[in-house]
Amino acid sequence: MASESDTATSNFIRSMIEKQAATTVATRFPPEPNGYLHLGHAKSICLNFGIAKEFNGWTNLRFDDTNPDKESEEYMQAIKRDVEWLGFNWKSLCYASDYFDDLYECAVALVKSGDAYVDSLSAEEIREYRGTLKQPGKESPYRNRNAEQSLELLEEMKAGKHNEGDHILRLKIDMASSNMNMRDPAIYRIKKSHHYRTGDKWSIYPLYDYTHCLSDAIEGITHSLCTLEFEDHRPLYEWVIEKVKASSVQVELGSPVQTEFGPLNLEYTVLSKRKLVELVQKGIVNGWDDPRMPTISGLRRRGFTPDSIREFCRRIGVTKSSAVIEMGVLETVVREELNESAQRRMAVLEPLKVIITSIADDHNEILELANHPNKPELGSRQLPFTREVYIEQSDFEEEPPPKFKRLIPGGEVRLRSSYVIRCDEVIKDENGQIIEIHCSHDPDTLGKKPEGRKVKGVIHWVPVEQSVKSEVRVYDRLFNRPDPLAEEDYLNAVNPDSLVVLSNARLEPSIGDAETGSKFQFERQGYFAIDDDSTAEHPVCNRTVGLRDTWS
RNA sequence: UGGGGCGUGGCCAAGCGGUUAAGGCACCGGGUUUUGAUCCCGGCAUUCGUAGGUUCGAAUCCUACCGCCCCAGCCA
């Protein structure tokens, strides 16, 4: 259990709700099924589900599926799985596509009331007519086409009688508005694509600004929480609901209020679906659940837990500024949880053979090792101590740097949970490469301190014969600069060494049959999770995060 | 003078006219330790983008200035 605090830090959204009369708090998490969820979504999920739960309200999971070109069943299923995995339960599973009929009916009403019209300008012309940030736009010549004509065209668009781009349905607001979103925004475009849910029923699809607010209103959402970039859309959000309510349609609409919060930014990675799609499609990573990805599925495979991700979201807070969070925060939450829950094991990532010459060839002493140094209730496991063991290559230095407390020629070191050994001889091949180390052990040091001297170093080890050969994947940050987007092309900032595969690692035998997803601390090295690729014949471990290291 | 937002220590973030300006991460000590881990103890903003003003009193109110972010998809 992570130290998930029960005293939630105050934030402006909570304060706002506290000041409001005690009404139900109804929220929604509205992803478009066009990719996998990432940490930015986790922040939104924790906020939406968390705040509703806190005020005894409810939350819908709604798929904002109005652009069939980019959406799929696969993405939809992945999103559902990830939200559930994070530990949240939705009240209703909704789809914007379920409202297509109602939405169309509302659009017809808006045309009739003179609040919408079919424009027949081309996309380029519309862009020109829109004006610029500093100059007002000008009205389309089709803007005052009568309602009957617009209605007829809209029906034809719906019936598939026109080609994509020929016409578009726009709201009639204000082409001179200083808010670009109010310059007669498009609300329906002709698109003859197959929709993963509605199939080929529709030839026109509603756009976000029109769909989102009405979906919220239809579901009875009270608090529509979204990120800062939608701040400018709020007047439009309110305009649409007001106009539809004033129209003759018999769709029952609530009165949702949109509130915006700052999006999550994380150092050394990118959090935008468009860019994550690119990383996947260009093969820069191995799929959406590549453990280097900031996706929920990637983090899960990497060894993160739902608790640690929720704790991360709690710690970063919710404000109106776009914060850039340091990786250290993410690393800390998962270390804190795994330190409590993960059983300890020994594993040698880059083996160096040690022969303990003072021990007989057939020596096979069974050691009983605690699974957790501070939690005896987690029990113990057995590990054979034999004449030949592997230690980490980096735990031996012929010419040690200052303050090196590991094995050196003539020096002593403790084999973790075992005996103190002394390095007597370094065996090299004809090229001068170290092949093995010959040591002798002090038989009187099992479970006790050596007499008359102190041995500072403790290193991990595994028996040569009984250890299990395994592949260990060590991950580093995906990008080599904290702000990859500051690069001309962010792909230039991809870290070429973000994955290091150690294919000759040795695990202590008790890990051999651990199931996929199991998490351990490999002592002195970090936290590791058994990967999906792992099999009994070929175990594969992912390093979730290293231990805090004040030495190297 | 397009419009909309945001500026509290290296990174987050409380604070809402009277507090010694919470807390976390990071960092720096010191102690314990058969993981250079954990754990423990201590340190870490006379100051809240800047400059003025209001007030007995300002991070909190006002004014000006500076900096950063977002907006011209028939994406969401």
Side-chain angles (χ1 to χ4, degrees), chain A residues 352 398 426-437:
Chain A
L352 170 60
E398 276 195 292
V426 180
I427 311 297
K428 298 179 180 175
D429 64 15
E430 59 276 15
N431 300 318
Q433 292 295 304
I434 299 173
I435 304 171
E436 59 189 39
I437 311 282

Side-chain angles (χ1 to χ4, degrees), chain A residues 15 54 79 85 144 150 174 185 191 206 214 253 261 438 441:
Chain A
S15 307
E54 197 176 319
I79 289 169
W85 180 77
N144 293 313
S150 276
D174 177 9
K191 189 180 279 287
L214 291 176
L253 299 179
F261 62 92
H438 285 8
H441 81 305

Side-chain angles (χ1 to χ4, degrees), chain A residues 324-337:
Chain A
V324 182
I325 309 297
E326 292 179 338
M327 270 295 178
V329 181
L330 228 205
E331 295 173 348
T332 295
V333 293
V334 74
R335 276 196 197 108
E336 282 181 5
E337 178 178 346

Side-chain angles (χ1 to χ4, degrees), chain A residues 228 262-263 265 319-324:
Chain A
L228 252 26
N265 298 290
T319 66
K320 293 202 68 138
S321 63
S322 340
V324 182

Side-chain angles (χ1 to χ4, degrees), chain A residues 283-459:
Chain A
I284 293 167
V285 295
N286 303 313
W288 287 97
D289 68 343
D290 185 302
R292 292 168 291 182
M293 289 282 271
T295 51
I296 305 302
S297 51
L299 291 166
R300 172 170 56 231
R301 189 166 175 183
R302 175 84 170 249
F304 279 73
T305 58
D307 276 358
S308 63
I309 294 175
R310 278 189 267 113
E311 175 62 12
F312 171 75
C313 292
R314 193 190 67 76
R315 288 191 191 191
I316 61 177
V318 178
T319 66
K320 293 202 68 138
S321 63
S322 340
V324 182
I325 309 297
E326 292 179 338
M327 270 295 178
V329 181
L330 228 205
E331 295 173 348
T332 295
V333 293
V334 74
R335 276 196 197 108
E336 282 181 5
E337 178 178 346
L338 263 17
N339 177 48
E340 294 294 314
S341 61
Q343 292 197 7
R344 311 289 121 125
R345 293 292 185 272
M346 289 199 285
V348 174
L349 271 32
E350 296 174 287
L352 170 60
K353 186 180 281 185
V354 167
I355 298 178
I356 303 166
T357 55
S358 54
I359 290 177
D361 281 345
D362 59 352
H363 186 88
N364 192 14
E365 180 178 2
I366 305 300
L367 268 21
E368 195 77 23
L369 310 199
N371 284 328
H372 191 115
N374 311 323
K375 297 194 169 191
E377 67 273 21
L378 258 31
S380 61
R381 83 282 182 186
Q382 298 185 323
L383 180 64
F385 175 67
T386 56
R387 188 169 191 266
E388 297 191 357
V389 300
Y390 287 120
I391 66 168
E392 208 68 58
Q393 285 171 22
S394 58
D395 281 337
F396 175 78
E397 285 292 344
E398 276 195 292
E399 293 169 19
K403 294 184 181 173
F404 188 77
K405 354 194 290 199
R406 307 170 190 179
L407 194 60
I408 61 175
E412 282 187 310
V413 75
R414 158 88 59 188
L415 290 180
R416 171 74 168 152
S417 300
S418 176
Y419 300 89
V420 168
I421 59 170
R422 174 187 305 280
C423 171
D424 300 321
E425 194 179 0
V426 180
I427 311 297
K428 298 179 180 175
D429 64 15
E430 59 276 15
N431 300 318
Q433 292 295 304
I434 299 173
I435 304 171
E436 59 189 39
I437 311 282
H438 285 8
C439 294
S440 50
H441 81 305
D442 180 342
D444 197 32
T445 53
L446 182 64
K448 35 176 146 159
K449 291 186 173 17
E451 302 230 340
R453 61 203 198 278
K454 50 184 183 302
V455 173
K456 280 182 293 184
V458 178
I459 65 175

Side-chain angles (χ1 to χ4, degrees), chain A residues 5 21 102 110 161 235 241 249 260 290 357 371 407 453 478 536:
Chain A
S5 171
D102 284 346
L110 291 178
K161 291 181 181 166
I241 291 175
V249 282
E260 311 82 14
D290 185 302
T357 55
N371 284 328
L407 194 60
R453 61 203 198 278
L478 229 196

Side-chain angles (χ1 to χ4, degrees), chain A residues 59 88 133 195 375 379 404 411 417 492 537:
Chain A
T59 304
F88 296 101
L133 293 176
H195 188 284
K375 297 194 169 191
F404 188 77
S417 300
N492 292 150
E537 304 73 47

